[in-house]
Amino acid sequence: MKFLSSSTKNFESVLKKYFSFKNETLSLEPFAEFLESIKKADFTDVLNYFKANPTITHHFKYYISNIFEGRPFNLSLTEANILSENAFFPELKKRILNKVLPPVENEKTVWYMVDNISFRPKKDLEYLHNLPENEMDEFLEILGISDFIQKPKVKRELIFSMNILSWRVTGMALDVEVVRMAPEYRNFDNPFLALQKELETLAEEFKINPDIQLTSKDSRYKQIKIYTEQCLDFVNIAFKNSSKYGISGKINQALLKIRQQTQRIYEIVQLLVIDNDADVIIRSKQLMFNILSYKSHKNNISELFNDSTRMISHLITNHTAETGSHYITSNRKQYMKMFYKASGGGIIVGALCVLKMLYGFMPGSDFFHAFLYSLNYAMGFVMIYLMGFTLATKQPAMTAATMTKVLSEQGNSKRNNTEFADLVSKLFRSQFIAFVGNVLLAFPVAMAIIYGLDVFFSQNLAVEKSEKLLRDLDPFNSKAILHASIAGFYLFISGIISGNIGNNSIFFQIPDRIAKNQSIKRVFGAKFAKSLSKYYAKNWAGIVSNFWFGVFLGATAPIGLFFGLDLDIRHITFAAGNFALGLYGKDFSVDSYTFWLALLTVFIIGFFNFLVSFSLSMFLAFRSRKLNFGEVSEIYREIFKYFLKNPLKFFIPLRSTFDHKTSNMMQNTIPTKSEDQ
């Protein structure tokens, strides 16, 4: 247990209480109380007290030597702040459990000591770092441990720790799937095996000569350093190749673990390098600081999330960036093409609005309606995708990744920022014309279909729903903005799904498996297998993401109703279609306030669809590429200045002096799928 009573006592009373006599106990309570008490005192007074009381100092030194005697510290070097599981969720579960119920440790280890004498390892480490260096050195000399890094027992622990890490890292690095991530090393000697051999040789030499001492010019140290650098290069190349070969959560975790253990080997070997007398106390202090640092991060959940998810999110945004590049128009021809594609999407959505309204008349449970609405949306979105049309709000989740990728690879000069601002104007006008195309067609198509049904059945089917449809387009009397934000969140999730499917397709080599599948070739022929492979590679990620986006939109309202929550979705294109149905259901007899407010709300819904999906996607993309939002404030200002100078470029395809430059920016940073594969 930790000793919470120490906070009320000053260091003099603690030293007199426990060390006015020769303390033979192995209890950690005196040490814990002493460490807590000196934090409230001037450390100079602590040093002066030890100097003025040699008897207490002698007894304290004896006690410190006694409690550390026979306690190995290799666990603090080989386990702390290193992933212990080979998958993310087991590691997360383990860390949460360790935070709630700390594990039972071996009491004969330094690991146990640190856990039980340090109440707040991070704060304690900060306190030690803030002590004047000369006072810290003097304190270690008073205790007679300023040169403990040179003790044979300490060296043995360090060398043993490096060997443990080396054995573990070599086993993981030789895994078939890990080796596949770095084919560049197939024709070279494996650096992990070379590192392991070098460390084993060092351990054998230490057995023969316990006084062995490494220097920065020592060939053994240089070899270990070279091999650790090569091992880290292996990991970096493997991560870099993940854009070509994809990556799984398991391999991502394995590479992170390999990197952590290799870096730890390098940090440990640095402690053994002594070039002059001053290095002795420096290395002794560094070992203490390292152990505290490792222990203070051992169950850090936020670091686990950051490390484990950054590469996966990078790959997801990398694949969505490829798709997003197609949504940025550069000239008038592409601009009009985007309008026609969005218009096609608007036609289908107009029909979907009427279908959803008709499904609402069917009797059944909430989950039955969830199924019908989900099927309606999902099939409609898949149809839009396969027919080459576009849904405007599907673009932000894709283009955010594209923009961030360009930004991260272009640098942050004044010239590049202006060129990037021009690229943003192209993105914005692409989004604008897509919104226009969707809305302009969804409204008349929904109106035409409901009119046709009225003529055919001699009944205005929208009458019963019109009141609700128009009320839902009133941001003051409904939760239209919240529901638009929920739809934006789903757009973001659909982008993640698309990128994840693309990554998994490449990692598991699904297109190649289809093309070379003997059963498919035998039954349908090699040409069909190849065509199916290409179709899968091109369309499957889009089909799946659009399907699930439809399911999310369709199921939200019925599930919210089932749980008694006012949940729903609002999407600009569907809002335009519902506006038409609401007007027709009222026989166009609505006051001007209701009409103009509903029309304005359609565009407010579109704004929040765009804002939420684009912001979340930008956050993910920035995080995956380690870009800091604060670092791009200059870019934001440049975009705003560019808008003030050239507002029309953000809405219509005017020529720009940067057209050639921005085109090159896109081509140089966005790889094609064929290149990736």
Side-chain angles (χ1 to χ4, degrees):
M1 62 177 289
K2 293 187 177 180
F3 312 101
L4 301 176
S5 61
S6 60
S7 58
T8 60
K9 301 178 181 179
N10 62 57
F11 77 93
E12 292 184 17
S13 62
V14 171
L15 290 174
K16 288 177 181 177
K17 175 183 176 181
Y18 291 111
F19 305 112
S20 57
F21 56 93
K22 190 174 183 179
N23 195 328
E24 298 280 357
T25 182
L26 295 178
S27 169
L28 300 178
E29 184 175 353
F31 197 17
E33 288 195 25
F34 170 74
L35 289 178
E36 280 300 296
S37 64
I38 62 173
K39 294 175 191 174
K40 302 173 180 63
D42 186 330
F43 198 70
T44 303
D45 294 337
V46 177
L47 292 176
N48 290 335
Y49 185 84
F50 275 118
K51 293 175 186 176
N53 296 272
T55 302
I56 287 181
T57 302
H58 176 74
H59 292 159
F60 185 73
K61 285 170 61 177
Y62 175 80
Y63 167 77
I64 292 295
S65 174
N66 208 22
I67 62 172
F68 275 95
E69 182 67 27
R71 290 181 187 265
F73 59 84
N74 61 78
L75 283 177
S76 300
L77 300 177
T78 60
E79 305 293 334
N81 201 28
I82 290 179
L83 296 170
S84 58
E85 300 291 338
N86 294 325
F88 172 75
F89 286 106
E91 180 73 25
L92 176 62
K93 179 181 176 182
K94 186 173 183 178
R95 292 196 180 196
I96 292 174
L97 177 62
N98 288 347
K99 274 188 173 293
V100 177
L101 291 173
V104 178
E105 306 291 356
N106 184 348
E107 296 185 10
K108 297 297 183 180
T109 62
V110 171
W111 178 295
Y112 175 84
M113 281 188 63
V114 175
D115 268 345
N116 285 273
I117 63 174
S118 180
F119 301 101
R120 297 171 298 276
K122 284 186 180 179
K123 292 288 185 181
D124 292 345
L125 181 62
E126 184 180 347
Y127 169 77
L128 292 175
H129 274 304
N130 289 335
L131 288 177
E133 191 170 342
N134 63 314
E135 291 188 357
M136 184 67 181
D137 293 349
E138 188 176 357
F139 181 62
L140 294 180
E141 288 172 1
I142 288 174
L143 297 182
I145 56 174
S146 60
D147 63 343
F148 78 89
I149 196 73
Q150 290 186 308
K151 305 294 183 184
K153 290 181 179 179
V154 174
K155 289 182 183 178
R156 181 168 61 247
E157 285 285 295
L158 294 174
I159 294 172
F160 180 57
S161 298
M162 286 193 293
N163 274 278
I164 290 176
L165 292 167
S166 176
W167 296 328
R168 291 175 181 172
V169 80
T170 301
M172 285 187 294
L174 293 179
D175 184 273
V176 174
E177 291 187 336
V178 173
V179 172
R180 185 172 75 87
M181 297 296 296
E184 293 85 349
Y185 276 82
R186 286 175 184 167
N187 298 323
F188 299 94
D189 291 334
N190 190 297
F192 296 97
L193 290 173
L195 176 61
Q196 180 182 336
K197 183 178 180 181
E198 193 68 31
L199 291 173
E200 287 176 348
T201 301
L202 179 63
E204 290 299 322
E205 291 180 8
F206 177 78
K207 288 180 181 178
I208 298 171
N209 179 19
D211 295 324
I212 193 171
Q213 186 66 67
L214 298 182
T215 66
S216 58
K217 296 181 179 179
D218 193 296
S219 61
R220 293 165 297 190
Y221 166 69
K222 289 181 177 179
Q223 284 296 103
I224 293 172
K225 182 180 178 182
I226 289 170
Y227 291 143
T228 54
E229 289 172 351
Q230 289 178 354
C231 291
L232 291 173
D233 285 341
F234 176 96
V235 175
N236 292 334
I237 289 172
F239 275 131
K240 186 177 180 181
N241 286 342
S242 59
S243 61
K244 294 180 181 179
Y245 309 123
I247 196 170
S248 68
K250 178 183 175 183
I251 299 304
N252 180 68
Q253 208 77 352
L255 289 172
L256 286 173
K257 200 170 178 180
I258 290 170
R259 174 188 283 167
Q260 288 178 343
Q261 292 176 331
T262 304
Q263 287 174 336
R264 186 64 55 84
I265 290 173
Y266 183 70
E267 290 168 5
I268 294 173
V269 76
Q270 295 280 66
L271 298 172
L272 291 169
V273 177
I274 307 292
D275 286 329
N276 51 59
D277 293 341
D279 286 340
V280 176
I281 194 168
I282 292 174
R283 299 289 184 261
S284 298
K285 287 188 297 183
Q286 192 60 52
L287 176 56
M288 291 190 299
F289 290 155
N290 284 358
I291 290 176
L292 273 178
S293 177
Y294 300 152
K295 290 291 290 181
S296 67
H297 292 82
K298 64 175 180 174
N299 291 319
N300 194 299
I301 294 174
S302 62
E303 288 182 4
L304 174 65
F305 269 103
N306 288 336
D307 294 340
S308 300
T309 60
R310 179 170 283 117
M311 179 51 62
I312 298 296
S313 61
H314 175 83
L315 291 173
I316 288 171
T317 54
N318 188 61
H319 291 292
T320 53
E322 295 168 9
T323 306
S325 62
H326 303 302
Y327 287 125
I328 301 176
T329 62
S330 299
N331 52 51
R332 190 170 186 175
K333 182 179 178 181
Q334 293 176 351
Y335 184 81
M336 293 310 299
K337 184 178 179 181
M338 178 65 73
F339 173 75
Y340 295 137
K341 290 170 68 176
S343 298
I347 292 172
I348 294 176
V349 169
L352 295 179
C353 289
V354 179
L355 277 174
K356 185 192 175 188
M357 184 189 72
L358 296 177
Y359 286 148
F361 291 119
M362 297 179 66
S365 67
D366 293 334
F367 283 96
F368 175 70
H369 284 107
F371 172 77
L372 289 178
Y373 296 158
S374 297
L375 186 65
N376 178 51
Y377 283 127
M379 294 302 101
F381 293 153
V382 171
M383 187 185 302
I384 290 172
Y385 175 77
L386 293 179
M387 293 179 71
F389 299 143
T390 187
L391 193 67
T393 50
K394 281 286 287 181
Q395 297 171 328
M398 305 295 181
T399 50
T402 305
M403 304 302 283
T404 309
K405 185 170 185 182
V406 171
L407 188 62
S408 67
E409 297 179 15
Q410 288 302 311
N412 192 17
S413 67
K414 174 76 173 176
R415 178 73 175 176
N416 283 342
N417 289 349
T418 306
E419 293 170 1
F420 184 77
D422 183 72
L423 183 60
V424 171
S425 73
K426 291 178 169 61
L427 162 66
F428 192 89
R429 72 190 183 210
S430 303
Q431 301 296 303
F432 170 74
I433 197 60
F435 277 131
V436 170
N438 274 180
V439 172
L440 284 183
L441 270 293
F443 184 91
V445 167
M447 185 73 74
I449 293 175
I450 195 64
Y451 172 74
L453 291 174
D454 190 359
V455 171
F456 188 79
F457 292 106
S458 300
Q459 181 182 355
N460 187 339
L461 298 174
V463 170
E464 188 177 332
K465 299 283 186 180
S466 60
E467 188 72 33
K468 183 180 185 305
L469 291 173
L470 291 177
R471 187 174 63 252
D472 287 342
L473 293 177
D474 181 349
F476 303 110
N477 294 311
S478 73
K479 296 181 179 177
I481 293 176
L482 171 63
H483 296 159
S485 300
I486 293 173
F489 174 73
Y490 289 153
L491 287 159
F492 163 68
I493 295 297
S494 70
I496 289 181
I497 292 173
S498 177
N500 191 49
I501 294 293
N503 170 61
N504 290 341
S505 177
I506 292 176
F507 179 75
F508 292 107
Q509 300 175 304
I510 303 299
D512 286 342
R513 294 188 188 198
I514 293 173
K516 297 176 181 179
N517 186 278
Q518 293 300 320
S519 298
I520 297 176
K521 290 166 72 175
R522 190 179 301 114
V523 176
F524 300 102
K527 187 176 180 180
F528 175 85
K530 191 172 182 180
S531 298
L532 182 62
S533 170
K534 289 182 178 178
Y535 186 85
Y536 179 94
K538 181 181 179 181
N539 296 310
W540 184 244
I543 291 172
V544 173
S545 69
N546 278 284
F547 174 83
W548 280 110
F549 179 51
V551 171
F552 296 149
L553 294 191
T556 299
I559 290 177
L561 189 63
F562 177 82
F563 287 107
L565 302 174
D566 186 9
L567 298 179
D568 207 342
I569 58 93
R570 295 287 175 267
H571 185 278
I572 181 172
T573 317
F574 286 91
N578 290 338
F579 183 33
L581 297 178
L583 289 177
Y584 193 85
K586 288 284 188 180
D587 280 331
F588 302 98
S589 299
V590 295
D591 57 83
S592 59
Y593 173 81
T594 301
F595 177 86
W596 291 111
L597 182 63
L599 181 62
L600 177 63
T601 304
V602 169
F603 292 97
I604 291 175
I605 287 170
F607 173 75
F608 278 93
N609 289 160
F610 175 87
L611 180 67
V612 173
S613 63
F614 191 76
S615 299
L616 290 173
S617 299
M618 282 292 281
F619 173 78
L620 180 69
F622 268 61
R623 183 182 171 280
S624 72
R625 296 179 186 278
K626 298 184 179 180
L627 293 175
N628 190 315
F629 281 95
E631 294 173 359
V632 294
S633 57
E634 280 293 326
I635 297 169
Y636 296 148
R637 281 195 288 269
E638 193 64 39
I639 293 170
F640 183 68
K641 290 178 185 176
Y642 194 80
F643 174 76
L644 294 179
K645 290 180 181 178
N646 309 280
L648 289 180
K649 285 184 180 179
F650 283 73
F651 299 97
I652 56 178
L654 299 176
R655 289 185 177 276
S656 169
T657 55
F658 297 109
D659 282 346
H660 181 68
K661 291 284 187 181
T662 53
S663 177
N664 286 339
M665 288 171 71
M666 292 290 294
Q667 292 174 2
N668 293 337
T669 57
I670 308 300
T672 63
K673 291 186 178 182
S674 60
E675 287 173 340
D676 274 353
Q677 291 173 8

